[in-house]
Amino acid sequence: MEKLLYGVAYYDEYMPFDRLYEDIRMMQAAGINVVRIGESTWSTMEPQPGVFDTSHLTRVIEAMQAAGISVILGTPTYAIPSWLARAYPEILAVTEKGKELYGRRQNMDITHPAYLFHAERIIRKMMETCAHYANVIGVQLDNETKAYGTSGPNVQQGFVRYLKKKFNNDTDALNKAFGLDYWSNRIDAWEDVPDVRGTINGSFSAEFRRYLRHVAADFLMWQRRIVEPYLREDQFITHNTDLSWAGYSYGLNGEVDVFEDAKATTVLGVDIYHPSRSGLTGMEIAFGGDLTRSAGKGNYLVLETEAQGFPEWMPYEGQLRLQAFSHLAGGAEMVEYWHWHSTHNSFETYWKGLLSQDFGENETYRAAKGIGKEFRELRPHLLGLRKTNRTAILVSNTALTAIDAFPISGYSDPSFRYNDVLMRIYRVLYENNVECDFLFPQNAAERMGDYDLVIIPALYAAPDELLCQICHYAEQGGHVFITYRSGFSDENNRVWPDTQPHRLREICGITYQHFTTPEDVGLQSADTTLEGNAQQFMELLNPCADTETLIRYTHPAYSRYPAATRHSCGKGCATYLGCQPDPAMLSWIIRDTCRNAGVLNSTNTFPIIERGGTNAQGKRILYIFNYSGKAQVAHCPSGMRDLINGCLSAETIPVDPWNFVILEEVL
Amino acid sequence: MEKLLYGVAYYDEYMPFDRLYEDIRMMQAAGINVVRIGESTWSTMEPQPGVFDTSHLTRVIEAMQAAGISVILGTPTYAIPSWLARAYPEILAVTEKGKELYGRRQNMDITHPAYLFHAERIIRKMMETCAHYANVIGVQLDNETKAYGTSGPNVQQGFVRYLKKKFNNDTDALNKAFGLDYWSNRIDAWEDVPDVRGTINGSFSAEFRRYLRHVAADFLMWQRRIVEPYLREDQFITHNTDLSWAGYSYGLNGEVDVFEDAKATTVLGVDIYHPSRSGLTGMEIAFGGDLTRSAGKGNYLVLETEAQGFPEWMPYEGQLRLQAFSHLAGGAEMVEYWHWHSTHNSFETYWKGLLSQDFGENETYRAAKGIGKEFRELRPHLLGLRKTNRTAILVSNTALTAIDAFPISGYSDPSFRYNDVLMRIYRVLYENNVECDFLFPQNAAERMGDYDLVIIPALYAAPDELLCQICHYAEQGGHVFITYRSGFSDENNRVWPDTQPHRLREICGITYQHFTTPEDVGLQSADTTLEGNAQQFMELLNPCADTETLIRYTHPAYSRYPAATRHSCGKGCATYLGCQPDPAMLSWIIRDTCRNAGVLNSTNTFPIIERGGTNAQGKRILYIFNYSGKAQVAHCPSGMRDLINGCLSAETIPVDPWNFVILEEVL
Amino acid sequence: MEKLLYGVAYYDEYMPFDRLYEDIRMMQAAGINVVRIGESTWSTMEPQPGVFDTSHLTRVIEAMQAAGISVILGTPTYAIPSWLARAYPEILAVTEKGKELYGRRQNMDITHPAYLFHAERIIRKMMETCAHYANVIGVQLDNETKAYGTSGPNVQQGFVRYLKKKFNNDTDALNKAFGLDYWSNRIDAWEDVPDVRGTINGSFSAEFRRYLRHVAADFLMWQRRIVEPYLREDQFITHNTDLSWAGYSYGLNGEVDVFEDAKATTVLGVDIYHPSRSGLTGMEIAFGGDLTRSAGKGNYLVLETEAQGFPEWMPYEGQLRLQAFSHLAGGAEMVEYWHWHSTHNSFETYWKGLLSQDFGENETYRAAKGIGKEFRELRPHLLGLRKTNRTAILVSNTALTAIDAFPISGYSDPSFRYNDVLMRIYRVLYENNVECDFLFPQNAAERMGDYDLVIIPALYAAPDELLCQICHYAEQGGHVFITYRSGFSDENNRVWPDTQPHRLREICGITYQHFTTPEDVGLQSADTTLEGNAQQFMELLNPCADTETLIRYTHPAYSRYPAATRHSCGKGCATYLGCQPDPAMLSWIIRDTCRNAGVLNSTNTFPIIERGGTNAQGKRILYIFNYSGKAQVAHCPSGMRDLINGCLSAETIPVDPWNFVILEEVL
């Protein structure tokens, strides 16, 4: 990017009256230098089949151009017009819950040719009329694309074709891989494949979810191929991925393969929504950024984040600014609010933008004005941030999906999931200022060697090759931190029929045959400094002779089994966590492991958060955030320049509530 | 009415053996002077299509006539016979949950001509054979009528015709009013209108709910036109409306427009069910009565209320009598139990009547005997009660429906609704002995001027005219008490695009641009006498210079915004409540407002409740109830005659547990 | 049986590789002497329609035969192959929730001829090829058979035929019995019978549930008639019944009539799953055993129970052995684990068998080895246990079903059900070492006289004859303990129209007309030794002059009504419990009643549990279990031989944590 993009999603279509020029005036005043338009407004662009009118888009683009504001074109395909659903009711997806009704977005069958035909036509019309403008800097493909659980007969036919190919047309191989003899589920003729929606087979259902992730990725690539011919070299192609959702962005999204989706883009985008007020920790911003940066190609775009947002997110003074720079600290080159104004109708009127429905200046808008000014001024220092983290976390959709089918605490409590394991670990890293990247099964072999420490949460299901690569990494000198439920099943969710944990047992120096859910099971760190308890799950580990115990069970029934261990293997080292401990004990073992791997280098801890990297000039940049309502004093390297007040840093630096400093290396 | 009606719903059809004459003997002994019959028993009256037999009705009417007991004929149409559902399955409603199955009542499509044809035929047959009897005093149209969420294709076609008319055949007007550009929901041809059940558009769904309220009101008017030709001048037409339901009668019913429904009647009826035992406060009785009296034409009929009721309602000694007179104190001229005996089969065997299934005399029946005697004796004093209240509450189905779509605390907690705002306010009035009437959007302009204080809870959605009328009322000298979320959107749930609160901001002397849900937000009354906290919602109010702060936020982030204000406007005064406070603080501000408006005149508070009015002789009547299990001493006007013991009152009067006194003015 | 059967369910079909001979070696080492095979593996036996291959079964049978291990053949019919569902989609049941999808077991329409045709064919094929082997000791018919809520049009036609027969083709009788006048539900032509799934009539729905119990029993008898011709005299026919399920086996199963189902067997089987670790009390084992023994013909088979089971069941040291002998102490002659190995795929991978998925020796397997050895050694002493209990509990599916429709605490809290009443009573007996049998409506008249005390929990619905038989039993000298909600309605859930409790009021010396749910209602035992409170329900009892009060209500509103009474009647005595008391008070009154009836004979109480009987040699056998993690000293008869250490018992005996002793009479 040439500038730090500070933007808003802008929907001229939703305006109760013509506001364009007044809006642009207010945008300019706030330093808004980019808008995303078009996304989700198909029915305005094509009010009746084949009747196209994109003049409201070109009017906006031209007005923005005159004002020096860039535009991102969002293809409008994730919400279909009423006439399309009326003409082709079959486009509305059939899912596990039955046939969808028209109304909400994202409930069509994205594989349906009638949908694809009309989607292509409107995309082309948009590109033809809008893409050529000089201020159009890029295109966003669709929005938060998933397959939406589509599973009608046509989709299932596609799935059978996919299975035939995967299993080389051999139903025996399918039966074996998925264990279909169980409960008489065998398939001995392809035409017998049952409706996948009814299955209880955790391999079969997981494969279908994997198929749907392919469907979504293929759809994005299909859109890329449509838009590409219309674009100049300088125009980017992005997509707005979203994370899993727990009322806010939370963890890996099991409905998409973000690593695959990134291939359809030239720069990856993401939306990040997070708790605010006392719940603002910066963790969700950091996580979403780290994941997007790792899945994409480095710097990324925050295509949506909250301004006022939900009523309960209305930020305290200082928080909007803190959030904006938190995104930059992760490597974002764009911070775009959803959305400019607050909609007056329909559904998300409580999901408020920069402006309230009254369009007047307000507290949030005034905060944005300050941010826009700083973005402009600090651009040369903050653009092009590069990170060289020493720690990585290996995440896996296959494992996530497997744990949805085989919950960690069993069917009686399926609420503790893959993302809970992942996010509790991430939180410890985050709070201790250990910055990290993410690895994916697709790039783990190639990239693991770049890191001193690789963390592997609950890798329940994985192909043997991946486990071998992990072993190889450790033997060659890497440090791995592996949790319980890793190496348990192959990539088809078939439990390995040898001693657990499959393949990893040798590097970890442990085996186990039993696992259970804890019933009043205490924990003690081996150095006796900390007591805690096991929570959702525990394995009964048998250590090898040369395996060190890091955490013990204090419950008499389990005192002979270690709860966490460390083991040297080749030139490296493997730490194994055999249970889900309480947060303090989890923090203790992760800090111990990071120290052991040499990646625990900060003396600050949450609420003081350090994030940084190297800027385009090759200078080190260090953000120091205070995520609390109280003034803090942070440790910092001395002799760096404070980019906001221009002073050189001493060994400590005061940071005001919900505020931050940015230090730049003095070369 | 000529007498205080004391009645029961009587179902000869449900009897396990012939009990008629024994039942009548027991009714006479208990002072029961009216029964409601026929309602819900269509299949007995027409066991096969076109086979009519109302002889069991005429037998009951004749036997009642001989015993001097009046009869109300209930048309049987709210539960259809099995043969009708079998012959015309299309009569069973299609709702949001899919196609209804036969079995329960109130799940047919009341717009379906096959239903209407058969309903008319059975109503006419009933009228022909039963209406002419001298002891038939009136007819009840259907029962607890709603549209039952009917939304099959035929209903939706009707809705489209309604929309065409409302928007003068202009789809652009529709799109604009409902904001259908959002998420590509535009409708540019009437044939594209999608199945309303799928919509996420809060204007579209609310309009459909409004349409269904019209459907229900039209259905009642249709029944009235059928029965009217059969009736004498002295026979009334009533309908049994029901309130919203929270396990008991609670708040305004969003499925009906009670003000419109009343037009089909000559006297309005209602069913009121309420908690009992320690939960008996009289509030639900008072609320249901006040609403029905206000929607109807003054005095009203309690067509159903509990005798034994649910197991958990089995009243303590004294409570049945307390309840009966509580109804009279609201202006009821009839108290009718549902039902005489307790059914032996089917579904509501635990919803017990006066008699248990054994038909024997029991505690509840013995209590009724006393009540019947007192009704007869006190009739001349208690009949024809007229109230001239100084306080009114403006209620709105449009606002209620809007808040269902746009919950006060946001989508993450939709449990706090319009009726919760309403009922908490009503409770304060009730507990402080401020009697009130209700106003409706339809009669507010005409009637507001009759009151010293008009209370406006959460009038989220309203046409501009109504807001103007409120302003006009205040400027002309009225006092208004307006809560947060009023004046927020127009009648189509389109948020006003000017400064909030639309139109009301001037009389209230406040504006706001932000609102949020409180996170540990304390409150303090301006006179510093009371501390509390904000609960479900709060607005960040900007007061005008001449606006008085009544409640402050103590949280530092909000200390500059008042939580509640008062402002003089013209000759009047507007109190604005910007958050939902805890009950004690809510009580404080409402009491303060009532005092300010001169309508807080009682020195008694709950559990001592005063209610009264003027009787047919023009004498003031004052009921003083003790809704507690402890003896109380109440303040009272001296020199009134105690109608039960005949004494003249002193300045205080003892009231036994769950007991009351009735005082009559001595002219 | 000739031996104590110690077995496992064995699924060669599910193995990831050929394990048969290694499995057999490990079975032999563990003393496993029987396997159940074939159940649920139809698709392996018939991979395509008409293509049969049972060679994997005969291979297993032959290998087991060579190893001296017996085999039970389980017919595979409770899970259908995918090709069958594909060819005849109509086989998948239509239930209250709609049409079933293929995938899970037990969701087909077991009345459908296409299913029956194919089921018969596969059963015959299995019998033809497998039944003749010498080591095949028996056949299990289907598994955990129910009708699975099947209620498609064909099933409902069958139900109408059943109703016609029951009511002798008289719709008036039907209307009367079920009270169908209510809410216009009358049926005056058989073709008008509505879809039973929609009904709100509690008689109609209960009759359908009864019909489905018949359907299930008929299905088992149909299977018996198929297999019988293939069997030798020495081969048994069993069925694996299951109890109600609350995350573990809990109470009577309302979907089946276990007494009827037993008629299809020569020896009845059951699966019993129970909490473990600190939750292991032995109660569920005892209850399941007592019920199965009573429904069947004495000794019974535990066809499934847990080895490792769910993660949260992973037993503590000693518990697996304690469990195994607990089954024997109830009269089981077989303890079979589900299952040998833990499955590697599909659904129940967390429901672990003796072996984990690694097939290695583990803690659980090692415990089994010890059990197998003791079973072999102690066989002569423990086989053929006969009990002569003096206490019985009368259980009723009709009452259970009625209470599902008419919940004890009313519709607002339907969670407290028949099985809760039953199991709380059973727990008191169990914890006080009062062994009991069960009676059923079918055999109560014949068998009641065998007992000193008959306990009758919540017999809400029963035919008059049964109530008369209870009265007769009491009058002839029996002691009955009857709870609230007994004698309330007839067998069609029509509340009796005379004074409650119908028929029983005379022997109990009480009547009542009112009942309620308690609101802070205290209880006091008549001897003033104990205070407690009423919980889910209470009746307001009117005692006769000669009725003794055992428990009083301390709440002033109810002080005149006793909460529990005792009354002499003829030669016998009836104790009546008019409310659900807290557990301590319930224990008090049941202990008092047992003492009164002379059946409270143990001085041990939980966690020391005594169970016993007479063995095949006519010697008394007494098991003394310690269901706790602490060492206990138990009282015991002196001079009996300890079968484990050979010593003679003194008056007390130490019992280690989770351990037991077995004493045998010395003749």
Side-chain angles (χ1 to χ4, degrees), chain B residues 86 277-278 311 348 350 356, chain C residues 182 193 485 513 516-517 519:
Chain B
R86 180 61 86 177
R277 299 194 304 193
S278 69
E348 292 178 313
Y350 276 19
S356 294
Chain C
Y182 176 87
V193 177
R485 300 270 80 179
Q513 297 181 291
T516 188
T517 52
E519 180 184 58

Side-chain angles (χ1 to χ4, degrees), chain A residues 182 193 485 513 516-517 519, chain C residues 86 277-278 311 348 350 356:
Chain A
Y182 176 87
V193 177
R485 300 270 80 179
Q513 299 181 291
T516 187
T517 53
E519 179 185 59
Chain C
R86 181 61 84 176
R277 299 195 302 193
S278 70
E348 291 177 314
Y350 276 19
S356 293

Side-chain angles (χ1 to χ4, degrees), chain A residues 260-271:
Chain A
E260 293 306 312
D261 288 357
K263 294 177 181 168
T265 70
T266 60
V267 57
L268 191 56
V270 65
D271 56 27

Side-chain angles (χ1 to χ4, degrees), chain B residues 73-224:
Chain B
L73 297 176
T75 69
T77 45
Y78 96 131
I80 65 172
S82 58
W83 56 258
L84 184 57
R86 180 61 86 177
Y88 308 98
E90 55 275 27
I91 287 179
L92 290 167
V94 171
T95 73
E96 284 197 350
K97 294 175 185 164
K99 177 75 176 174
E100 290 283 326
L101 291 176
Y102 181 79
R104 63 185 185 87
R105 61 189 178 181
Q106 295 177 290
N107 64 351
M108 59 282 181
D109 174 11
I110 62 167
T111 75
H112 198 286
Y115 167 74
L116 293 171
F117 172 84
H118 286 91
E120 176 164 356
R121 198 167 70 172
I122 193 65
I123 294 169
R124 290 193 182 279
K125 191 59 66 173
M126 188 187 211
M127 293 301 118
E128 282 166 15
T129 55
C130 303
H132 59 82
Y133 284 96
N135 63 326
V136 170
I137 58 172
V139 170
Q140 175 186 310
L141 307 174
D142 203 64
N143 194 53
E144 300 174 358
T145 304
K146 271 91 68 179
Y148 318 127
T150 187
S151 45
N154 59 318
V155 178
Q156 298 204 37
Q157 280 184 28
F159 180 50
V160 172
R161 278 190 295 276
Y162 163 91
L163 288 175
K164 279 184 181 175
K165 189 172 169 198
K166 172 166 179 147
F167 292 102
N168 204 18
N169 214 23
D170 178 358
T171 54
D172 271 345
L174 168 71
N175 287 321
K176 193 86 179 171
F178 289 3
L180 289 168
D181 288 274
Y182 177 87
W183 283 2
S184 197
N185 279 183
R186 280 185 69 83
I187 294 163
D188 284 282
W190 289 107
E191 58 271 29
D192 292 340
V193 177
D195 189 331
V196 68
R197 295 176 303 164
T199 195
I200 46 73
N201 184 294
S203 300
F204 194 51
S205 61
E207 192 67 48
F208 186 66
R209 292 185 61 184
R210 184 181 287 142
Y211 176 69
L212 292 186
R213 291 194 292 269
H214 286 307
V215 163
D218 289 350
F219 175 79
L220 288 176
M221 190 56 83
W222 172 84
Q223 283 219 4
R224 177 178 176 144

Side-chain angles (χ1 to χ4, degrees), chain B residues 470-480 504 506-509 546 566-575:
Chain B
I470 292 166
C471 295
H472 180 75
Y473 164 72
E475 283 155 0
Q476 295 302 311
H479 289 71
V480 288
L504 303 173
E506 280 164 39
I507 60 165
C508 295
D546 60 346
R566 184 165 295 147
H567 186 250
S568 294
C569 50
K571 304 178 193 160
C573 173
T575 302

Side-chain angles (χ1 to χ4, degrees), chain B residues 496-510:
Chain B
W496 293 105
D498 58 354
T499 304
Q500 290 290 347
H502 178 73
R503 197 63 71 191
L504 303 173
R505 61 182 180 264
E506 280 164 39
I507 60 165
C508 295
I510 49 99

Side-chain angles (χ1 to χ4, degrees), chain A residues 142-449:
Chain A
D142 203 66
N143 194 52
E144 301 174 358
T145 305
K146 272 90 68 178
Y148 318 127
T150 186
S151 45
N154 58 320
V155 177
Q156 299 204 35
Q157 279 183 29
F159 181 49
V160 172
R161 280 190 295 277
Y162 163 91
L163 289 175
K164 278 184 182 174
K165 188 172 169 198
K166 171 166 178 147
F167 291 103
N168 203 17
N169 215 22
D170 179 358
T171 55
D172 271 344
L174 168 71
N175 287 321
K176 193 84 177 172
F178 289 3
L180 289 167
D181 288 274
Y182 176 87
W183 282 3
S184 200
N185 278 184
R186 280 185 69 84
I187 294 163
D188 284 282
W190 290 106
E191 59 270 29
D192 292 341
V193 177
D195 189 331
V196 68
R197 295 176 302 163
T199 195
I200 46 72
N201 184 294
S203 300
F204 193 52
S205 60
E207 192 67 48
F208 185 67
R209 290 185 63 184
R210 183 180 287 143
Y211 175 70
L212 291 185
R213 289 193 294 269
H214 287 306
V215 162
D218 289 350
F219 176 78
L220 288 176
M221 190 56 82
W222 172 85
Q223 284 220 2
R224 176 178 177 145
R225 293 210 183 97
I226 294 169
V227 304
E228 221 161 11
Y230 298 91
L231 300 185
R232 298 186 301 273
E233 281 276 304
D234 62 294
Q235 290 175 312
F236 61 72
I237 300 174
T238 191
H239 172 59
N240 184 26
T241 59
D242 58 346
L243 303 166
S244 183
W245 189 253
Y248 54 90
S249 304
Y250 177 82
L252 189 69
N253 189 334
E255 289 189 74
V256 296
D257 186 329
V258 65
F259 190 85
E260 293 306 312
D261 288 357
K263 294 177 181 168
T265 70
T266 60
V267 57
L268 191 56
V270 65
D271 56 27
I272 299 176
Y273 292 101
H274 52 82
S276 187
R277 300 195 301 195
S278 69
L280 177 65
T281 64
M283 186 186 73
E284 294 81 8
I285 293 173
F287 176 85
D290 290 344
L291 188 76
T292 309
R293 190 183 65 243
S294 303
K297 296 164 173 76
N299 298 121
Y300 58 93
L301 310 176
V302 176
L303 284 161
E304 292 185 17
T305 192
E306 67 218 50
Q308 296 184 54
F310 285 146
E312 65 268 29
W313 290 349
M314 177 70 206
Y316 288 153
E317 192 177 342
Q319 292 191 330
L320 196 77
R321 176 168 171 267
L322 178 61
Q323 294 164 199
F325 283 86
S326 298
H327 289 294
L328 300 188
E333 306 222 310
M334 169 171 179
V335 176
E336 183 171 77
Y337 298 115
W338 198 88
H339 40 352
W340 171 244
H341 82 296
S342 302
T343 52
H344 296 75
N345 276 94
S346 198
F347 186 64
E348 292 178 313
T349 61
Y350 277 18
W351 197 318
K352 293 177 72 183
L354 264 188
L355 303 187
S356 293
Q357 282 91 355
D358 65 1
F359 297 111
E361 292 211 4
N362 63 40
E363 294 292 321
T364 311
Y365 173 78
R366 279 187 280 272
K369 269 177 150 171
I371 298 165
K373 182 160 175 290
E374 286 183 292
F375 268 35
R376 197 163 49 234
E377 292 167 0
L378 297 174
R379 182 190 57 78
H381 306 280
L382 304 184
L383 212 53
L385 193 74
R386 285 285 172 272
K387 289 176 185 279
T388 49
N389 293 328
R390 312 304 314 149
T391 303
I393 301 176
L394 173 61
V395 290
S396 160
N397 281 106
T398 296
L400 180 152
T401 305
I403 287 171
D404 283 349
F406 300 100
I408 286 170
S409 304
Y411 290 113
S412 56
D413 177 17
S415 65
F416 189 77
R417 291 173 179 253
Y418 179 82
N419 276 328
D420 299 300
V421 183
L422 169 62
M423 293 309 288
R424 290 186 191 198
I425 290 172
Y426 185 84
R427 176 179 293 279
V428 175
L429 295 180
Y430 177 75
E431 292 187 347
N432 288 282
N433 290 309
V434 179
E435 288 206 65
C436 70
D437 294 338
F438 285 92
L439 296 170
F440 301 85
Q442 295 99 318
N443 71 351
E446 177 196 343
R447 297 288 311 281
M448 261 192 286

